[in-house]
Amino acid sequence: MAQDIVKLNSQSSRPANQQRPIRVLQITDCHLHTSLDWKLAGINTQISFEWVMALAAQQKSQTDLLLLTGDLVHDASAVGYTRLRNSVQEFGIKACCLPGNHDNPEMLTRHMRGGLVEVPKEVKLGNWVIIMLYSTQPHSEGGHLSDRELQTLERSLRENTDRHALIALHHHPVHINSAWMDKMALDNPEPFLSILDHYDNAKGVIWGHIHQPFDAEHNGVRMMGTPSTCIQFIENQDKFGISTAPPGFRWLELLPDGGINSGIDRIAALPPGLDLKTAGY
Ligand SMILES: [Fe+2]
């Protein structure tokens, strides 16, 4: 099947030593809703999202791409997706989306397209390619990469050996030292990691889902998880727990030589109302 390819600010005709870093902001796990009053663990997710986007807007002039990595609309509603698409369009930077376990992939694909907003499988920026994989499966909070997605990954890496590659998906492909969350990880990481091992151009993997930062390396590939734009989970804890950490996003600088600079920026504080006694989400 033909892949959707988005080329943004392409500089592919320039030699590698004249490329500039590509700047990406990862926005994830917004858990928006049909209702503007809806709350997750006591937090109004729409307000929290807007505060995070206001912080992100301070970096807009240096940013090439927004990457939205799933759990975008908690009730997977047309109203929620349409509102989000309008917000991203207003933000004014090209945005690429993939679904999480709380999304409906078909609804997301239908409503998160148009203008600056795309749902591609591959994005080319300078001498980088970002490969977008779907890891959701019906009626499950955990992740799985179908044979088709694995083939997409391998083909994209093989066809772009002259580019460095960042792979984006919703679920974490490596455990994060949190038993309850690791039960909802990618359930077939072996073929995924094996493909990465075979391609030197695979430089980094980013995901959502875990509502907390994670930054490690696996066989030379950078592995990065990212805070939600709403509630955060306690890090390195085996039981479910809500953290008081403020929401935020991840910024990435994809360097011409294949290096990745990255970090987390957070708003000063959560909107009011956090319920630390919440037993689940
Ligand atoms: Fe989430």
Side-chain angles (χ1 to χ4, degrees), residues 3-8 10-13 16 19 120-133 150-167 195-196 198-204 256-258:
Q3 299 297 309
D4 294 321
I5 296 176
V6 177
K7 291 185 180 179
L8 307 172
S10 176
Q11 302 166 4
S12 56
S13 59
Q19 301 278 355
K121 295 300 291 178
E122 192 178 277
V123 187
K124 291 180 178 175
L125 289 152
N127 66 338
W128 279 79
V129 59
I130 302 175
I131 302 167
M132 315 275 288
L133 299 179
L150 291 167
Q151 287 160 9
T152 295
L153 171 64
E154 177 145 34
R155 183 173 54 244
S156 202
L157 287 169
R158 189 176 62 239
E159 291 177 351
N160 289 285
T161 50
D162 57 339
R163 295 174 187 274
H164 309 296
L166 176 73
I167 297 100
I195 291 170
L196 301 189
H198 280 88
Y199 288 89
D200 290 342
N201 54 333
K203 302 298 186 189
D257 66 0

Side-chain angles (χ1 to χ4, degrees), residues 58-80:
Q58 295 174 14
Q59 303 178 20
K60 197 189 305 192
S61 63
Q62 308 108 57
T63 300
D64 296 288
L65 178 74
L66 295 183
L67 205 48
L68 280 65
T69 50
D71 280 3
L72 304 183
V73 177
H74 195 88
D75 63 348
S77 61
V79 171

